Amino acid sequence: MSAIVARNRFAASFQAGWVRQRTTCSLSTCSTRSVRLTTNRGGSVLPPLPRPSLVVGRPCDYGAGAAGMIGGTRRFSADAGGSGNKDAGASAAPKKPPAKRPKKVTVLSLVHKKRRGQKITMVTAYDYPSALHVDRAGIDVLLVGDSCAMVELGFETTQPMTLDQMVHHCQAVKRGAPSRPLLVGDLPLGTYEYDDLDVALRNSYRMVKDGGMDAVKMEGGSIARAKTVKKVVEGGVAVMGHIGLTPQAISVIGGFRAQGRTAARARQLLDEALRLQDAGAFCIVLECVPSNVAEAITDTLEVPTIGIGAGGGTSGQVLVYHDMLGMLSHPHHEQFMPKFCKQYADVGHAITRGLEDYRRDVESGTFPGEAYAPYVMTKDEKDLFDSLLAKDAEERQRRHDEAAEKMKQADEYEQLSLYGDNGKTS
């Protein structure tokens, strides 16, 4: 008798909990099928109970009372014989949560990194494919530098780079790294040095609006440059400073020379860094300065510093994509490879080997071969095509001979060297 009473109480509690929570019970988690329990001695039938789902690891929505009695998310069966549900395998597996979108790096992110003692990574790149690789590697800052003039356009210095060219490369980089890294674009020589500070602000707006950059970079730390930085920052554009070796000013400093190697010049660099910080620069690049000078500047500033040839005491480091990966392997480039650049790959020599192998395969007829000529006609179509060619074979041969004769005459004309060959005529 006591067993029957206990069973009735279980059923009543189970049913009451299910009634209270029935509006939350979804078809995806609960079955609408029911099972009938045995009758008591009086002949009355206990209320039917819904069969719970056998999805492993998913909570049951029958209500607190029922869930507490049947074990919540534990796998179980309500069959009278206690056997498991054979349809359990048909239940859908729990969906994986969507991948989190990488958090955007901002100017504040860099400041926080410095305060926490975490190093900042920055790479200079100029186009869509390199931006893709930089983004996937998790680099914090991607700088579109005016060094593009030397690395990609073949100039001897950065000075010939124009604003239009910079915007073009900035747009390509933005498409390659659209959301995660902080994008900074160099303002090239002649776009921000004027007494009319609106020129610098107007060109900065273009780098942001047309080029897709998050910030711009300016070289120099003079009083005049600080005024320009302040004007642009107050106009709503973040500015990265750059002192030490400033490539745009090589006409003044006498070439690509290290800076700050005298006590007086080192102190001047510190003053320039403080001046840029006070003007609102969120970060300052220190290029080709002694490591102790760079460390002193970094310790003095609240904003982070990015070193290039400035030792390990800065808040972060920057290298050019092509330099660090050994993209260029010709003697001219190797002769001018910066001393501070560590080469992490030998891509340039691998590229050269690949191109040479391709040339040899084409010249020898090895490429493409049957393996790389996958598109074929059926036999019927091939026979039909051959018959079409046979219909005008004579006409095509005539036109071929005429074209060959014209080419022969043109070739003989060139061989006569009517306009001279290195000052000589034949």
Side-chain angles (χ1 to χ4, degrees):
M1 184 67 181
S2 58
I4 295 176
V5 173
R7 187 167 57 191
N8 286 341
R9 289 177 179 175
F10 167 82
S13 176
F14 192 100
Q15 185 73 4
W18 175 72
V19 170
R20 286 194 301 271
Q21 299 295 330
R22 66 185 183 276
T23 58
T24 64
C25 184
S26 65
L27 292 178
S28 63
T29 58
C30 297
S31 171
T32 57
R33 292 176 295 175
S34 301
V35 293
R36 186 183 299 274
L37 300 180
T38 58
T39 61
N40 59 20
R41 289 184 179 182
S44 61
V45 179
L46 295 175
L49 299 177
R51 174 177 293 178
S53 170
L54 300 184
V55 177
V56 178
R58 180 177 291 179
C60 180
D61 291 334
Y62 288 136
M69 299 184 70
I70 63 177
T73 61
R74 186 179 57 190
R75 180 171 181 170
F76 67 97
S77 172
D79 290 329
S83 60
N85 190 340
K86 296 180 180 180
D87 296 334
S91 301
K95 294 182 179 179
K96 294 181 180 180
K100 292 184 178 180
R101 185 176 181 180
K103 190 175 181 180
K104 171 68 177 177
V105 178
T106 67
V107 296
L108 291 180
S109 304
L110 305 186
V111 175
H112 292 161
K113 271 202 161 189
K114 178 182 179 179
R115 290 177 179 175
R116 292 192 294 265
Q118 299 173 346
K119 292 293 186 179
I120 299 167
T121 56
M122 185 163 91
V123 169
T124 302
Y126 317 103
D127 53 32
Y128 173 80
S130 58
L132 277 175
H133 289 294
V134 170
D135 188 12
R136 290 173 182 173
I139 302 299
D140 297 317
V141 186
L142 202 167
L143 171 66
V144 188
D146 60 354
S147 52
C148 176
M150 302 175 67
V151 177
E152 290 212 340
L153 303 183
F155 291 106
E156 293 293 328
T157 71
T158 66
Q159 292 178 334
M161 200 69 178
T162 67
L163 183 62
D164 287 341
Q165 290 171 326
M166 282 301 305
V167 169
H168 170 80
H169 285 274
C170 287
Q171 291 170 340
V173 166
K174 176 66 174 180
R175 289 189 289 269
S179 57
R180 193 198 55 79
L182 180 72
L183 301 181
V184 181
D186 261 335
L187 284 176
L189 179 69
T191 61
Y192 60 95
E193 299 87 349
Y194 300 94
D195 291 336
D196 183 0
L197 302 183
D198 286 335
V199 174
L201 181 59
R202 186 162 51 248
N203 290 332
S204 298
Y205 285 149
R206 189 174 176 205
M207 290 287 282
V208 173
K209 295 167 70 67
D210 296 344
M213 296 293 98
D214 301 313
V216 297
K217 183 168 76 66
M218 302 181 192
E219 293 184 5
S222 64
I223 295 175
R225 188 70 71 251
K227 291 180 179 178
T228 304
V229 170
K230 184 177 181 180
K231 175 72 173 182
V232 173
V233 171
E234 289 178 348
V237 179
V239 176
M240 176 181 284
H242 183 160
I243 60 175
L245 171 58
T246 49
Q248 293 176 6
I250 60 169
S251 300
V252 176
I253 63 179
F256 296 101
R257 296 168 174 259
Q259 301 294 307
R261 290 190 290 183
T262 65
R265 178 56 180 147
R267 175 65 208 196
Q268 184 180 355
L269 287 176
L270 176 58
D271 293 338
E272 290 178 358
L274 288 169
R275 193 177 294 129
L276 291 174
Q277 176 180 259
D278 293 342
F282 70 90
C283 183
I284 299 174
V285 173
L286 306 177
E287 182 170 359
C288 295
V289 300
S291 57
N292 62 309
V293 177
E295 186 172 358
I297 294 174
T298 302
D299 292 342
T300 302
L301 298 180
E302 285 296 317
V303 299
T305 59
I306 305 294
I308 178 168
T314 54
S315 308
Q317 297 292 322
V318 58
L319 286 177
V320 174
Y321 180 86
H322 294 68
D323 292 342
M324 66 184 297
L325 298 181
M327 292 288 290
L328 303 178
S329 58
H330 57 79
H332 173 78
H333 177 75
E334 293 175 350
Q335 180 181 355
F336 293 98
M337 173 71 75
K339 295 179 180 179
F340 54 75
C341 183
K342 179 178 179 180
Q343 188 171 311
Y344 287 86
D346 191 15
V347 178
H349 289 288
I351 291 173
T352 300
R353 288 192 298 269
L355 292 172
E356 290 174 346
D357 290 344
Y358 165 72
R359 173 180 56 81
R360 283 193 293 268
D361 283 356
V362 171
E363 291 175 349
S364 66
T366 304
F367 179 81
E370 292 295 331
Y372 297 97
Y375 311 110
V376 297
M377 303 174 73
T378 63
K379 184 178 183 305
D380 292 342
E381 291 297 329
K382 185 175 182 299
D383 293 341
L384 178 59
F385 180 60
D386 290 340
S387 64
L388 292 175
L389 291 177
K391 290 182 179 179
D392 62 344
E394 294 183 1
E395 175 63 18
R396 286 187 294 106
Q397 184 62 44
R398 183 186 63 80
R399 295 175 63 180
H400 172 270
D401 294 341
E402 291 178 354
E405 182 63 24
K406 290 180 180 179
M407 294 296 293
K408 181 180 178 181
Q409 294 175 359
D411 184 55
E412 291 177 348
Y413 178 80
E414 292 296 330
Q415 290 180 13
L416 289 176
S417 301
L418 295 180
Y419 296 101
D421 182 10
N422 294 329
K424 300 178 182 180
T425 58
S426 48

